[in-house]
Amino acid sequence: MIEQEAAPTVRVGYESIGPRPGLIKADHFSQPLGGGWWNDEADGGTRWVIPDLWPWGHVPLLTGQPKVGKTTMLADLTASLVIPGRRFLDHFQPAELTQDDRNRGIWLINAETPPAALHAELRSTFRDLPETLRGDVLDQLQVTHLQQQGGAATFDLTDPRLFDGWAHHLTSCWDCDRSDDWTPSVVIVDGLTAILAASGKGVEHYGLWYAQFRLLMTELRVPNALVVGHSTLTGNHSMGGTEALAGPDGLWTYASDNVDNPRAARRFSVTPRLGGAVVPPLRVIRDESGRLVVPTSEDLAGATAEAATLEADPQDAGAKVENDVRDALGRAGSTGLRKTEITGSGRYAYPIREALARLLASGEVIERPEGRGSRYWLAEAVPS
């Protein structure tokens, strides 16, 4: 639920309810040694939370510059997890969560966004949800605001006392007799940088905190989780350096081309750990309804031209249009694109046609005649 905890959930002091559910026991190591792993496909092969984006059982890190819109993106992500058939960014395939997975709950822990502002963003994201589904769907989304728990520092999992407290807080039960516990299928933590800062710790603690978070998810048998933190101002790297990247199962990046310009183009990409899928930089815009989407070629043409006219430096604006052409051709790969698929049509097409011409002249893009027109590829993707 967005406003309050699920009605049947019962909470009691963690000091009085005994061992945590899901705690690793001796039988965790009971599997005999040997080569049985070679034929072990007990999990049914590759399973995804969201196909070709988020592998089942992975705990990635999403980073972005300050105020780039990470929380707005999270609102769309949570909606895609709890609403069957909804596509994240209107681009990726619908989540592969079963109804049992959804009934376990999607738990969003908010470290720094004002509660009223987050609720408004979530209401906007869920505004088109049919009334007949609203109650069931919203009950699957649990939101905890750390401001209301004592501040962001209360989720500093490097403190053993807080670690134990959250192990019990994230556990739901009917009678709390340890026989009917359940924990969420997905936990999302928005605001790692704020959590550490409120605890008097710097970004060098990313790695230690992440290790404790992974341990917490393992003990509670929470299969999937996502943590959100800040990147450097360039948007290319997570704060915390190499230590910050040691723990996550891949890095999701949501970055602005120009952090000083609130209207600058934004891109989403994924560098996975083994078992994940590479997502090349995808342009993200707001559609007419205000939703974040990966645009079609025509939408991209309009958004690119509009962004270009808002840039103070025409040369810089032209470079951004060229990046968008590279992005479109990069996604097409060896299939290539026809000119109208790149530029669209109408008044927005002119700056993109100019950018395409510059890339042809530089040799980055290759053109081949096809029918009455031509097809275009990035030079490294031209089919032999």
Side-chain angles (χ1 to χ4, degrees), residues 203-370:
V203 295
E204 67 276 9
H205 288 85
Y206 262 43
L208 177 57
W209 183 95
Y210 218 97
Q212 292 300 106
F213 179 69
R214 292 185 70 105
L215 177 60
L216 179 64
M217 297 298 97
T218 300
E219 288 198 5
L220 296 184
R221 303 295 198 266
V222 175
N224 311 292
L226 174 71
V227 178
V228 184
H230 284 98
S231 70
T232 59
L233 290 181
T234 63
N236 297 327
H237 302 283
S238 165
M239 294 180 70
T242 303
E243 292 84 354
L245 298 179
D249 294 322
L251 181 65
W252 297 12
T253 303
Y254 185 46
S256 168
D257 284 355
N258 181 356
V259 72
D260 296 318
N261 181 359
R263 296 181 181 273
R266 285 158 168 75
R267 304 173 198 281
F268 175 72
S269 61
V270 174
T271 303
R273 182 164 278 184
L274 190 66
V278 174
V279 177
L282 300 172
R283 179 73 182 275
V284 177
I285 67 171
R286 285 188 182 270
D287 66 10
E288 293 180 354
S289 70
R291 180 184 173 186
L292 293 180
V293 300
V294 173
T296 63
S297 295
E298 185 174 353
D299 292 334
L300 179 59
T304 299
E306 181 180 3
T309 62
L310 293 169
E311 291 289 342
D313 184 348
Q315 184 176 359
D316 188 49
K320 289 180 171 56
V321 179
E322 291 177 12
N323 282 335
D324 287 323
V325 173
R326 292 186 186 98
D327 289 348
L329 290 172
R331 292 194 298 273
S334 61
T335 303
L337 295 173
R338 294 181 65 87
K339 179 177 285 188
T340 55
E341 293 176 316
I342 302 170
T343 65
S345 58
R347 63 189 179 94
Y348 294 126
Y350 181 73
I352 305 178
R353 285 198 295 266
E354 285 193 322
L356 180 60
R358 290 194 296 271
L359 294 173
L360 282 167
S362 71
E364 286 190 65
V365 171
I366 302 299
E367 175 185 13
R368 288 181 179 174
E370 183 177 275

Side-chain angles (χ1 to χ4, degrees), residues 62 64-71 74 108-118 143-148 151-155 188-198 206 227-231 239:
L62 167 64
Q65 300 119 319
K67 312 306 177 189
V68 74
K70 298 185 293 296
T71 301
L74 281 186
L108 173 59
I109 297 172
N110 167 38
E112 57 183 336
T113 303
L118 180 57
V143 180
T144 295
H145 302 287
L146 296 183
Q147 283 187 17
Q148 299 171 351
T154 59
F155 206 73
I188 300 172
V189 180
D190 184 12
L192 174 54
T193 310
I195 291 168
L196 293 176
Y206 262 43
V227 178
V228 184
H230 284 98
S231 70
M239 294 180 70

